[in-house]
Amino acid sequence: MDSLVTELQEFRKEIMTKYPKKVGKKRAKSIVVSNPDNPPEIQANVRTVPGIITQRGCTYAGCKGVVLGPTRDIINITHGPIGCGFYSWLTRRNQTLPVDENDSNFITYCFSTDIQDSNIVFGGEEKLKQAIREAYELFHPHTIAIFSTCPVGLIGDDVHRVARHMMEEIGGGINIFGFSCEGYRGVSQSAGHHIANNGLFKNLIGRNDEIRGSLEYRVNLLGEYNIGGDAFELERIFEKCGINLVATFSGNSTIQKFENAHTADLNMVMCHRSINYVAEMMETAFGIPWIKVQPIGASSTAKMLRKIAQYFGEKKLVDRVEEVIAEEMVEVGEACKEARKHTTGKLAMLFVGGSRAHHYQDLFEELGMTTIAAGYEFGHRDDYEGRRVIPNIQIDADSRNIEEITVTKDATRYNPRKTEEELKELEANGMEFNEYHGLMKQMERGALVIDDLSHYEMDKLIERYHPDVFCAGIKEKFCVQKMGVPLKQLHNYDSGGPYAGFKGAINFYRDIEMIVSASIWKELKAPWESEVHIEATFVY
Ligand code: CFN
Ligand code: HCA
């Protein structure tokens, strides 16, 4: 590894000299060499330099597509040009499974106001009202959400006023609310997550106290979005263990589950980046503690189950969890052993979103592969460096005051919470509440960590290190493959999945084994191998 350290350091310097001075200086702060014992400071969650080709998406995508998108019985109307609705329509492969014919599923529809030039000039609120009327007449949903796109913010349409107006006009207890999630609001999707979390808390969580299912072992899973069927596999595992999953935010979810989520005893946070705000608000308002879990990778899934069993502390659950792990690990072990014959020693690079560049490293480790470079598109410093969260939260001015919920909803009367002493004892026994270790603690010493990777940097990483697999998204896929390196999409899994849980790990082992064993990639020549190319230097 030592030679790699020096090499990677040199690589970093070389990249910096290719940018204009100011840009190079800025980018240098977002490119660091990993030291797991003492993670260095990294610049993250800052604006991408204009002109750089980024992997990032927008605030609207983070709010509408990511957090609210996977809930099947809410009608999500995009107020904006048709392209925004169209491009956030099912490409993420978030799946859902209605339980019976009375259960609505609107995910397969794309609802948009399709605003035109005349709406930009004269305003689009009337068109939005009409869209809500039509959606209601056709589908009779009990909940409708409106999502603002960039032009809507620029012309000043008030989606919240329209929501209030239409709630009154339609009546009958329909819930309609809007999100000011214009694409330009933040530096990435991340701002959209925060806006969505506030909206969930303000408009849905805690609205319905009716207990469904048994009172035993009630948990919520936060930050799981059922990509490629991940939630189905996790639901299978929880059910097998006898763990009662009240709500998932938001894979395979329904509005009723969100409304009931405050009746759970423990919140588990899977994707910290997109949902930590809900975990913290629920802790403050309802006293529900949260722990970070990571059910991507077989051993981390087992670790999650053991944490849940430890939390409830009942022998019945502890034994059942051990039985399930032992049973599931037989097939996992065989599949892993088989795959490792071809995957051991291979190199991976992961540049995905705000948590998967970290989570998928467990699976690569199980395959005996090394991640030599990784980073997030829109992670914050805590996602890299880790943090201990002190539950003292600040909520955006336009979201509802959470004290209001604290006084009106006392969920503890339904499901007795652990006392302070019990929580302290659990902590003394290794249960980490409000704790998130971040990506850098897990990366090999000397590996490169790059935030908001640019296209140029990606080209150079590939040219120099030629990884056996590069993990990213659709925008990178074909550029990378033209360089003779297979790209595995870790956003929508291409056509694969599930990859979560035990069965998911097996699917992943097999898919990666196939990818790194395919001989076709050797036949492809990258542009720099087959073409004369001219290098230019920026003079300023
Ligand atoms: S499903 Fe999640 S796991 S929610 Fe987030 S940070 Fe995106 S849509 Mo793409 S795949 Fe990705 Fe994460 Fe959380 Fe997905 S790594 S970029 S906004 N993401
Ligand atoms: C988004 C969604 C996305 C895009 C993936 C990609 C997803 O950010 O709007 O770029 O391939 O997972 O679908 O992250």
Side-chain angles (χ1 to χ4, degrees):
M1 202 72 198
D2 276 358
S3 61
L4 199 57
V5 178
T6 335
E7 218 178 292
L8 285 170
Q9 277 165 341
E10 273 169 24
F11 170 76
R12 179 173 174 270
K13 272 193 215 138
E14 186 190 309
I15 293 280
M16 290 314 102
T17 55
K18 296 288 178 195
Y19 283 126
K21 212 167 162 188
K22 255 186 164 170
V23 178
K25 233 171 132 183
K26 185 171 181 199
R27 286 301 299 147
K29 294 185 192 150
S30 293
I31 304 182
V32 301
V33 178
S34 163
N35 174 5
D37 303 328
N38 187 16
E41 199 173 295
I42 184 166
Q43 172 182 261
N45 192 32
V46 295
R47 200 160 75 103
T48 305
V49 177
I52 277 186
I53 302 177
T54 169
Q55 298 178 289
R56 285 176 169 173
C58 69
T59 299
Y60 158 82
C63 182
K64 190 264 178 186
V66 174
V67 179
L68 271 298
T71 307
R72 65 174 166 267
D73 57 351
I74 180 170
I75 285 192
N76 288 329
I77 301 182
T78 299
H79 186 33
I82 195 64
C84 303
F86 185 78
Y87 283 108
S88 57
W89 181 26
L90 281 185
T91 48
R92 188 166 168 243
R93 294 187 70 239
N94 49 285
Q95 301 182 3
T96 200
L97 199 62
V99 287
D100 56 35
E101 66 279 3
N102 299 321
D103 195 356
S104 310
N105 178 13
F106 304 123
I107 288 182
T108 48
Y109 296 92
C110 175
F111 298 92
S112 168
T113 48
D114 181 21
I115 61 170
Q116 304 293 324
D117 301 4
S118 60
N119 306 121
I120 299 291
V121 176
F122 300 108
E125 288 186 15
E126 286 310 314
K127 197 168 190 189
L128 176 58
K129 285 181 190 162
Q130 189 52 26
I132 295 171
R133 271 180 213 116
E134 272 175 37
Y136 183 73
E137 277 160 25
L138 286 170
F139 297 101
H140 291 97
H142 43 73
T143 313
I144 297 178
I146 308 156
F147 298 86
S148 308
T149 56
C150 297
V152 163
L154 294 173
I155 62 175
D157 277 1
D158 185 344
V159 297
H160 309 285
R161 182 173 57 198
V162 171
R164 284 193 299 273
H165 176 93
M166 290 311 294
M167 208 146 53
E168 217 161 273
E169 183 185 305
I170 295 173
I174 189 166
N175 192 5
I176 306 178
F177 45 90
F179 290 93
S180 295
C181 57
E182 292 84 353
Y184 58 74
R185 274 210 168 218
V187 300
S188 68
Q189 290 91 319
S190 179
H193 302 148
H194 199 163
I195 293 166
N197 281 217
N198 286 348
L200 283 176
F201 196 76
K202 181 176 163 187
N203 300 297
L204 296 169
I205 296 170
R207 276 169 61 102
N208 182 348
D209 293 335
E210 185 191 337
I211 291 279
R212 312 224 171 170
S214 93
L215 264 178
E216 264 190 341
Y217 317 136
R218 292 173 71 82
V219 298
N220 295 319
L221 182 60
L222 275 54
E224 197 301 316
Y225 300 96
N226 203 15
I227 310 304
D230 278 353
F232 301 146
E233 164 64 357
L234 296 174
E235 286 167 7
R236 179 189 75 82
I237 296 171
F238 289 135
E239 205 182 318
K240 199 168 166 181
C241 294
I243 295 164
N244 205 335
L245 187 60
V246 181
T248 300
F249 289 75
S250 47
N252 198 28
S253 64
T254 60
I255 293 300
Q256 178 265 319
K257 290 182 182 180
F258 291 156
E259 290 180 343
N260 253 191
H262 64 304
T263 65
D265 191 54
L266 176 69
N267 275 337
M268 297 182 293
V269 174
M270 181 169 165
C271 168
H272 173 270
R273 182 64 273 132
S274 61
I275 206 98
N276 69 82
Y277 320 98
V278 162
E280 287 173 35
M281 287 188 273
M282 287 183 79
E283 172 151 36
T284 309
F286 304 116
I288 305 179
W290 68 265
I291 51 169
K292 174 79 180 77
V293 296
Q294 207 298 81
I296 305 284
S299 41
S300 21
T301 303
K303 197 169 157 193
M304 170 187 76
L305 295 175
R306 290 191 173 114
K307 272 191 191 174
I308 302 172
Q310 188 193 355
Y311 178 80
F312 289 103
E314 285 180 26
K315 189 170 176 323
K316 184 177 80 172
L317 183 62
V318 174
D319 291 349
R320 182 62 192 144
V321 156
E322 288 308 326
E323 257 169 48
V324 171
I325 294 172
E327 203 180 301
E328 297 282 335
M329 286 306 270
V330 177
E331 205 190 333
V332 168
E334 281 162 12
C336 190
K337 200 168 143 204
E338 205 40 49
R340 280 178 73 103
K341 290 180 190 158
H342 302 109
T343 55
T344 306
K346 296 273 186 334
L347 300 182
M349 290 185 181
L350 284 81
F351 290 94
V352 201
S355 76
R356 294 187 173 187
H358 180 198
H359 289 171
Y360 277 78
Q361 294 200 25
D362 283 354
L363 280 165
F364 282 113
E365 258 173 57
E366 287 170 7
L367 286 168
M369 293 176 62
T370 305
T371 303
I372 54 164
Y376 299 125
E377 288 169 47
F378 49 77
H380 297 202
R381 276 184 60 193
D382 51 6
D383 301 302
Y384 288 102
E385 300 166 26
R387 71 163 177 169
R388 166 124 188 132
V389 184
I390 313 297
N392 168 23
I393 52 162
Q394 306 232 315
I395 302 182
D396 287 357
D398 68 351
S399 80
R400 185 165 67 185
N401 183 347
I402 63 161
E403 269 111 64
E404 209 182 305
I405 295 183
T406 319
V407 286
T408 54
K409 301 269 175 200
D410 177 11
T412 56
R413 71 179 184 271
Y414 296 98
N415 205 26
R417 302 270 181 261
K418 298 221 179 277
T419 61
E420 280 295 312
E421 288 70 44
E422 284 169 328
L423 291 175
K424 286 219 170 76
E425 197 185 323
L426 278 166
E427 251 182 316
N429 289 321
M431 181 73 79
E432 293 173 325
F433 294 108
N434 308 339
E435 187 111 34
Y436 178 40
H437 292 294
L439 169 145
M440 294 212 261
K441 275 244 156 65
Q442 186 165 8
M443 292 206 61
E444 300 232 18
R445 183 183 301 278
L448 270 191
V449 179
I450 308 181
D451 182 66
D452 189 19
L453 180 82
S454 75
H455 187 93
Y456 173 72
E457 290 152 10
M458 179 181 86
D459 264 16
K460 290 292 154 190
L461 276 179
I462 292 174
E463 182 180 340
R464 184 110 169 211
Y465 299 105
H466 212 277
D468 297 287
V469 60
F470 193 96
C471 301
I474 193 65
K475 299 187 285 292
E476 299 78 41
K477 186 169 176 85
F478 301 102
C479 305
V480 171
Q481 296 195 161
K482 281 179 188 162
M483 300 176 205
V485 170
L487 186 142
K488 175 68 188 166
Q489 290 192 70
L490 281 190
H491 292 264
N492 68 6
Y493 306 158
D494 295 298
S495 52
Y499 291 144
F502 298 113
K503 298 229 180 302
I506 297 172
N507 290 336
F508 193 79
Y509 302 152
R510 293 189 176 142
D511 285 355
I512 296 297
E513 180 196 5
M514 256 192 310
I515 289 171
V516 301
S517 310
S519 51
I520 184 71
W521 302 109
K522 295 192 193 84
E523 307 300 322
L524 281 162
K525 289 240 174 296
W528 56 82
E529 290 168 327
S530 55
E531 293 163 14
V532 178
H533 73 277
I534 304 163
E535 198 155 295
T537 309
F538 182 88
V539 184
Y540 53 100

